[in-house]
Amino acid sequence: MPSDAIVKCCAFRREAKGWTVSLTAARTVPPPRGGRRAVGVDLGVTTFAALSDGAFTPSLKAARRAERCLRLAQRALARKKQGSTSRRSARATVTRCHAATARRRANHLHQASARLVRDYDVIAIEALNVKGLARGALAKDVHDASWGRFISMLRYKAEWAGARLIEVNPQYTTQDCSGCDARVPKALGDRSHVCPHCGLSIDRDLNAARNILDRAGVGPGLGNVTDGACVQARTLVCLNGLVKDP
Ligand SMILES: [Zn+2]
């Protein structure tokens, strides 16, 4: 608990493995850090988060992995007689399976969002319609990846740390070429971006992450960011042999 925090309320919650105590505290928000290190983040299913500088966070697939454990536990529960002691313990096992999955997922999201806020001062991300996506064909993966929760964690962690989170228009971030801005249509299964106009050939998610950073308006030449990020962004451009005037 930070020393300047004032505890406002406290809640006890009973969970499968015991009790959880949550404390809500008020504290003054630190002033914004001077923007130096900027990054674009593309959230995906295959890769949880691809960053515009080429780093990435692997997908957790917590629920998928826990599915087998859950299936076995649920099958065992179905065979138990109503009202019996063994049924009660089988039910507890199912609850424990669910709780373990939720804990693993929350841990992953906390670590990934904390790392981003620690390593970057300006974070650009797509303004996602998670509710719309969660109804589509990828519903299970979207739910598993918990993008909505991740973005809200990023939002408050950034605020606490004085970092900036910029949400950009998500349209065509995958299709557009981050090198020359031409629209390159792709199918869902195309894992790489190959531009017939400028010859840029990079990972699909990396291309999207660079477009997201670009749209946040903190990239090279826009004057918002001091030297560090500009130099970094220019280096990226040079690495791909592109002619993109900053
Ligand atoms: Zn191109």
Side-chain angles (χ1 to χ4, degrees), residues 31-37 120-122 161-164 224-226:
R33 307 198 285 234
R36 268 172 172 272
R37 304 160 297 171
Y120 302 96
D121 302 310
V122 183
R164 268 169 70 204
N224 260 347
V225 184
T226 40

Side-chain angles (χ1 to χ4, degrees), residues 9-188:
C9 78
C10 167
F12 291 77
R13 196 169 58 225
R14 191 172 181 176
E15 286 177 347
K17 234 184 169 178
W19 289 83
T20 307
V21 184
S22 338
L23 298 166
T24 307
R27 63 178 299 208
T28 42
V29 172
R33 307 198 285 234
R36 268 172 172 272
R37 304 160 297 171
V39 71
V41 182
D42 176 59
L43 298 180
V45 170
T46 332
T47 306
F48 179 74
L51 309 189
S52 55
D53 57 10
F56 68 94
T57 310
S59 141
L60 175 70
K61 300 265 166 137
R64 288 287 160 95
R65 235 185 290 152
E67 252 170 24
R68 193 183 130 76
C69 147
L70 193 60
R71 211 169 45 235
L72 292 175
Q74 274 167 338
R75 209 180 295 153
L77 174 66
R79 280 196 300 264
K80 300 288 187 269
K81 214 191 262 167
Q82 291 283 345
S84 64
T85 318
S86 60
R87 188 180 171 86
R88 209 176 321 134
S89 91
R91 191 187 299 284
T93 309
V94 172
T95 315
R96 261 203 309 279
C97 264
H98 278 300
T101 310
R103 251 197 325 273
R104 222 173 293 149
R105 184 185 288 152
N107 214 6
H108 177 76
L109 298 175
H110 275 300
Q111 284 178 359
S113 52
R115 208 175 307 129
L116 275 179
V117 171
R118 190 191 59 212
D119 294 347
Y120 302 96
D121 302 310
V122 183
I123 302 158
I125 202 156
E126 283 178 319
L128 285 178
N129 173 11
V130 177
K131 269 190 190 138
L133 283 170
R135 274 195 297 270
L138 293 170
K140 208 167 190 178
D141 290 310
V142 171
H143 177 72
D144 200 14
S146 318
W147 293 337
R149 204 163 155 214
F150 179 72
I151 294 172
S152 70
M153 281 180 184
L154 262 184
R155 216 174 274 140
Y156 79 72
K157 286 194 166 95
E159 199 181 322
W160 285 1
R164 268 169 70 204
L165 181 71
I166 301 174
E167 291 178 55
V168 304
N169 179 5
Q171 265 186 330
Y172 300 112
T173 46
T174 311
Q175 313 273 333
D176 288 357
C177 174
S178 58
C180 68
D181 288 334
R183 193 147 292 164
V184 186
K186 307 181 180 59
L188 206 62

